[in-house]
Amino acid sequence: RAAMWRTLLTALLAAAAPLPLETLLGPPPVRCPTTPRCPRPGGSTSRALWSPRGPTALGAVERRPEDTTDLRPVEGPTEEDFQLNVGRAITVLREDYQAGLTRDLDWSIYSERVELHDPSGVQLRGLPAYKRLFSLLRLIRRLVCSQATVRFKEAYDYSRHEVRITWHVVASIKGVLKPLYFDGVSVYSFDVRGLVCRHKIDNLIINGLQLEPPYVRGLVDPLWAATPAGAGQRYPMAAAAAAAGGGAGDTPDDRAAAQAQAIDSLSTLFAARIAALAEQLKVYVDSSPAGTATFQTKRALPRLGQRALQLVKLVESLVRLARPELDAALCSSGALAACIDLMFKFSLNSLLHLSVQRVAIMVLEGGDARRGAQRHLLVDCRLLQRLLHVMSHKEEEADALSNARRPVIGHLVVIAQVVVSVVHAESAEGREQQRREEEE
């Protein structure tokens, strides 16, 4: 038996002698022919080594000399950086859409050369112009919209490296019962660093109607055209949109100048249409389009209605801008006086009283810049006389309604306190100025 094993081993060694060592240990490792789904910026793709027979007989995977180049650091962004930036951009976009233009966006995910596209081509270039457009949209939302809700659904296209967001916006316009419905698709593309370099808007639909490009006007104009003061107007916001998109500077002075230019354009447009707004308010002063409401006292009182309340809030937004031309238009058209009349007519609507209270306080505390509006409020609207009348008849009216106190009294007390504080402050300032003049 030993002789038989010696003979067999001798025959095997003789057959293996002509073969090279690589044949005995298996073929050398080769590169894995994988095709990455994402681009490999910087050429730093890790190449795995593999063998059809698994690990070699020595228990380790060989590494060829040329593979050592993968271990050296490379310049520029890596694939890992690209994936991390894209993932963060998706998270930030989701948070920004949920905010619904109530705050500033997170601009860290955008490239300095970001572009806004629509089917007609490039509309804006550069991050400064992109920022000013969204600043204008936020300003219009505060002035015109009472509420806006956003619903969206995002998806990432691995083959094109794009984020596709389908969004639906319901915007409630001040003074209008029927809201506006915006539907569209936003496609965000990324550069090699994973930053947003292009934002394309597709298929913009407003109230079921396909909008023709360019879309920059289409996003801005319907908000104004839907208001009672802007009914029937076509593209009134073109100047403001152009102001938001123009210029290439991004310094604080440039941003302030662009914002001032946009506010000037909006103020000019609103000032020309405040007369129509005042006519709508006077309808609710002279009549009760919303009908009446019967309380536990079996007494029917007029109802204000949601539309009239939103009209008053629109006046509040205009007063908040503190523009001389808007104050003059509000006084001359009677819109400010109509708001005061509505507060005394609908004495149980606390939301109305709160909005008118804000209007009165902003005017009374406006200083020398609002002397005309203050004179109109105190003299033409007879605010002090009407305050004293309500205060003196408070108990009688409360007994008639079987209520301890009317909601309007609290807001009137606040207005009266502001009047007293302003008079005292100006009286002290006047006495001090008179003393200085006497000393001189």
Side-chain angles (χ1 to χ4, degrees), residues 14-97:
L19 298 177
L21 183 61
E22 289 81 3
T23 304
L24 295 177
L25 299 180
V30 296
R31 299 185 184 278
C32 177
T34 58
T35 302
R37 291 182 298 177
C38 299
R40 308 280 186 174
S44 61
T45 306
S46 177
R47 300 177 175 88
L49 299 177
W50 69 290
S51 174
R53 299 184 181 181
T56 63
L58 299 178
V61 179
E62 293 185 5
R63 184 177 294 275
R64 302 180 66 179
E66 60 268 25
D67 294 331
T68 58
T69 57
D70 296 334
L71 303 179
R72 290 180 290 181
V74 296
E75 298 181 357
T78 63
E79 178 190 358
E80 183 179 0
D81 297 333
F82 176 84
Q83 297 293 349
L84 289 175
N85 289 335
V86 170
R88 181 177 178 274
I90 295 175
T91 302
V92 170
L93 288 173
R94 186 183 298 115
E95 295 174 352
D96 289 343
Y97 271 83

Side-chain angles (χ1 to χ4, degrees), residues 63 85 111 155 158 166 196-197 329 348 373 381:
R63 184 177 294 275
N85 289 335
S111 170
Y158 287 91
T166 304
V196 177
C197 62
L348 295 178
C381 298

Side-chain angles (χ1 to χ4, degrees), residues 234-410:
R234 183 174 178 82
Y235 298 139
M237 297 294 184
D250 195 24
T251 63
D253 293 338
D254 293 336
R255 291 194 296 268
Q259 184 177 4
Q261 184 178 0
I263 293 177
D264 290 339
S265 301
L266 291 174
S267 300
T268 303
L269 294 170
F270 275 106
R273 296 168 175 84
I274 286 180
L277 177 62
E279 292 297 328
Q280 296 288 333
L281 289 171
K282 292 177 182 178
V283 171
Y284 289 88
V285 175
D286 300 333
S287 61
S288 300
T292 59
T294 304
F295 296 90
Q296 294 180 353
T297 57
K298 307 302 181 181
R299 179 179 178 182
L301 295 176
R303 294 180 65 253
L304 177 66
Q306 182 68 17
R307 185 172 184 269
L309 179 60
Q310 297 302 326
L311 289 175
V312 175
K313 289 185 177 181
L314 178 57
V315 174
E316 177 188 348
S317 300
L318 297 178
V319 174
R320 196 180 299 275
L321 290 176
R323 306 293 297 184
E325 61 272 18
L326 293 179
D327 289 348
L330 289 171
C331 294
S332 61
S333 63
L336 194 59
C339 292
I340 300 297
D341 294 338
L342 289 174
M343 182 179 66
F344 288 101
K345 177 181 178 179
F346 300 93
S347 56
L348 295 178
N349 195 317
S350 58
L351 295 177
L352 169 66
H353 304 154
L354 178 61
S355 183
V356 178
Q357 169 193 315
R358 293 170 178 170
V359 171
I361 291 177
M362 285 187 289
V363 171
L364 293 174
E365 295 181 347
D368 296 337
R370 285 187 155 173
R371 291 302 182 192
Q374 293 170 1
R375 186 179 300 106
H376 175 74
L377 199 63
L378 297 175
V379 178
D380 299 337
C381 298
R382 301 176 63 251
L383 181 60
L384 288 179
Q385 291 85 341
R386 300 173 79 170
L387 286 174
L388 293 174
H389 175 76
V390 172
M391 295 296 183
S392 60
H393 294 79
K394 179 185 66 172
E395 298 298 335
E396 299 177 3
E397 295 178 355
D399 293 339
L401 288 177
S402 299
N403 291 329
R405 186 175 184 181
R406 280 192 170 193
V408 72
I409 298 300

